[in-house]
């Protein structure tokens, strides 16, 4: 009898130990994850409000609260906007939204979409961008991060303290440019390009550090640009330029998540999210433009013939970009041809 009790005791102890192990292991399959999302604009600006918050809210809901996305606008985790990609690689932030051009030349293939008069429709270009990212950039230029979305903003244009109707009107102006291609174009037009992140534009205009800026309509309201300059120059057909964005996640953080929570991230990321983000950003152009109209600002819309004069002057930038890509071992002309083909395919 004693031996029987001893055996049962041993078996009971083993069962308890097994149950204990099972319960201890369970949280590893259902652990909660907190993600710090860092970006450079105020929380009330269009992209944080209409794109990033929507994405974060859906991720939280689809994970049944097991993923929490903490949002840090206006560089609240420290640093400057050009440091965002480094922050997500180093784990200072788990996710960042950033302008790719804040690190000029580091992700060169993305610049194909930033070439002058390449952009026609933000949804079409954002879709083309994602497809070319997966084909050309995912395992090369962006191999150190996990990209969640790639998109562009609506038509880029010029906002200045004096009217700009022709390329000659740019002579001598100090203009904030957002990318290498934009800065190259400004130089060819006789303007002086000034590099600064978007959040610095308001102060730059108010203090006279710059005479104008190149940005899309949608962000002008948050930066109070229509109150600081009274002239806005739009183009017909393809836009003067656009900028490329990425929503990037720390690779180790993503890979450390349980498979079911990775699936939640995946479901809310990728091509359709990219199209949503680019389209949503472009859709915000109209309301922002209306505010400038209400202020009585001078809105100059160049017709097709006037736009063509600007387009012709931009051709050398294409040639220079292709030559630069060739030096990097990248077929720049092939990227241009593929981008144009995809943009034409998806432009409504």
């Amino acid at each position: 009898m004693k031996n029987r009790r001893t055996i049962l005791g041993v078996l009971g102890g083993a069962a308890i130990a097994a149950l204990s192990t099972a319960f201890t292991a369970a949280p590893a399959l259902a652990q909660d994850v907190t993600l710090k999302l860092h970006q450079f604009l105020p929380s009330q600006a269009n992209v944080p409000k209409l794109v990033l918050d929507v994405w974060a809210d859906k991720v939280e809901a689809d994970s049944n609260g097991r993923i929490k996305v903490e949002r840090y606008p206006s560089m609240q985790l420290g640093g400057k906007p050009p440091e965002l990609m480094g922050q997500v690689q180093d784990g200072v932030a788990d996710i960042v939204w950033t302008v790719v051009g804040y690190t000029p030349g580091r992700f060169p293939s993305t610049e194909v979409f930033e070439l002058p008069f390449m952009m026609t429709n933000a949804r079409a270009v954002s879709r083309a961008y994602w497809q070319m990212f997966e084909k050309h950039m995912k395992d090369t230029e962006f191999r150190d991060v996990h990209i969640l979305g790639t998109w562009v903003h609506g038509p880029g244009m010029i906002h200045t303290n004096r009217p700009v109707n022709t390329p000659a009107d740019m002579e001598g102006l100090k203009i904030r440019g957002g990318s290498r291609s934009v800065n190259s174009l400004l130089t060819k037009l006789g303007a002086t390009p000034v590099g600064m992140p978007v959040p610095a534009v308001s102060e730059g205009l108010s203090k006279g550090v710059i005479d104008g800026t190149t940005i899309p309509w949608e962000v002008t309201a948050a930066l109070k640009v229509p109150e600081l300059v009274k002239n806005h120059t739009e183009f017909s057909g393809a836009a003067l330029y656009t900028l490329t964005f990425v929503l990037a996640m720390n690779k180790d953080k993503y890979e450390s998540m349980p498979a079911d929570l990775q699936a939640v991230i995946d479901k809310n990321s990728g091509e359709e999210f990219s199209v949503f983000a680019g389209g949503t950003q472009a859709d915000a152009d109209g309301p922002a433009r209306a505010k400038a109209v209400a202020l009585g600002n001078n809105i100059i819309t160049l017709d097709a013939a006037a736009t063509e004069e600007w387009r012709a002057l931009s051709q050398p930038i294409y040639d220079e970009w292709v030559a630069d890509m060739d030096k990097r071992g990248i077929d720049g002309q092939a990227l241009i041809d593929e981008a144009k083909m995809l943009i034409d395919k998806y432009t409504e």
Side-chain angles (χ1 to χ4, degrees):
M1 182 65 70
K2 182 177 179 181
N3 288 341
R4 183 171 179 271
R5 283 199 298 268
T6 301
I7 292 169
L8 288 174
V10 170
L11 290 174
I16 292 170
L19 285 172
S20 176
T21 300
F23 281 115
T24 302
L29 301 175
Q31 68 190 53
D32 291 341
V33 175
T34 298
L35 301 175
K36 295 177 292 196
L37 194 166
H38 199 204
Q39 55 88 18
F40 56 90
L41 285 180
S43 58
Q44 70 271 21
N46 286 316
V47 173
K49 181 174 61 176
L50 303 177
V51 176
L52 302 181
D53 281 348
V54 171
W55 180 87
D57 289 346
K58 288 179 71 175
V59 165
E60 290 179 340
D62 289 350
S63 70
N64 294 317
R66 289 170 55 207
I67 298 176
K68 177 176 176 55
V69 183
E70 295 179 347
R71 303 109 196 255
Y72 295 91
S74 303
M75 301 304 297
Q76 287 181 353
L77 291 179
K80 298 178 180 179
E83 298 170 2
L84 282 165
M85 283 300 287
Q87 289 184 351
V88 78
Q89 286 180 271
D90 296 340
V92 173
D94 300 308
I95 301 172
V96 300
W97 171 63
T98 188
V99 177
V100 179
Y102 282 167
T103 50
R106 185 174 172 188
F107 307 99
S109 297
T110 64
E111 296 175 347
V112 68
F113 298 105
E114 299 180 343
L115 291 167
F117 301 101
M118 175 68 78
M119 187 273 196
T120 55
N121 173 290
R123 287 180 171 84
V125 176
S126 296
R127 189 178 295 281
Y129 181 11
W130 179 264
Q131 292 183 8
M132 288 181 66
F133 155 74
E134 287 208 302
K135 182 177 179 182
H136 301 291
M137 310 170 205
K138 181 177 181 179
D139 298 321
T140 55
E141 295 163 29
F142 289 102
R143 62 184 176 275
D144 295 327
V145 291
H146 182 77
I147 296 295
L148 306 174
T150 62
W151 69 92
V152 301
H153 61 58
M157 50 181 295
I158 303 169
H159 311 265
T160 48
N161 58 13
R162 75 184 192 202
V164 170
N165 293 277
T166 69
D169 294 330
M170 295 290 287
E171 183 74 35
L173 293 179
K174 295 173 292 185
I175 306 291
R176 178 262 176 191
S179 70
R180 288 205 306 163
S181 295
V182 172
N183 288 339
S184 180
L185 178 59
L186 292 173
T187 299
K188 293 186 187 310
L189 296 174
T192 300
V194 179
M196 64 172 60
V198 166
V201 165
S202 299
E203 183 178 3
L205 289 172
S206 64
K207 292 187 175 180
V209 174
I210 53 176
D211 300 306
T213 184
T214 56
I215 50 173
W217 273 119
E218 62 89 10
V219 76
T220 57
L223 300 176
K224 301 190 181 302
V225 170
E227 289 89 346
L228 295 168
V229 297
K230 299 301 179 184
N231 302 283
H232 314 272
T233 303
E234 304 173 319
F235 297 81
S236 296
L240 176 67
Y241 81 100
T242 192
L243 294 183
T244 55
F245 303 99
V246 290
L247 186 66
M249 185 171 181
N250 178 274
K251 203 165 190 175
D252 291 340
K253 186 73 172 184
Y254 174 81
E255 292 176 350
S256 72
M257 294 173 66
D260 60 334
L261 294 188
Q262 286 183 354
V264 171
I265 297 292
D266 296 345
K267 173 187 173 184
N268 289 285
S269 307
E271 184 171 332
E272 295 310 317
F273 167 66
S274 299
V275 174
F276 159 77
T280 299
Q281 197 165 345
D283 289 345
D285 284 343
R289 185 182 189 277
K291 291 182 179 180
V293 171
L295 288 171
N297 287 9
N298 178 32
I299 299 177
I300 301 161
T301 302
L302 302 180
D303 61 19
T307 298
E308 185 56 38
E309 183 181 2
W310 293 73
R311 184 197 292 267
L313 291 172
S314 71
Q315 183 55 47
I317 295 171
Y318 280 72
D319 300 334
E320 292 167 4
W321 187 78
V322 169
D324 181 44
M325 293 300 104
D326 287 346
K327 292 177 183 176
R328 298 169 184 263
I330 298 171
D331 189 340
Q333 188 59 55
L335 289 179
I336 290 172
D337 294 341
E338 184 176 354
K340 286 182 175 180
M341 181 272 291
L342 288 172
I343 292 169
D344 288 344
K345 177 180 178 180
Y346 295 120
T347 297
E348 298 174 355

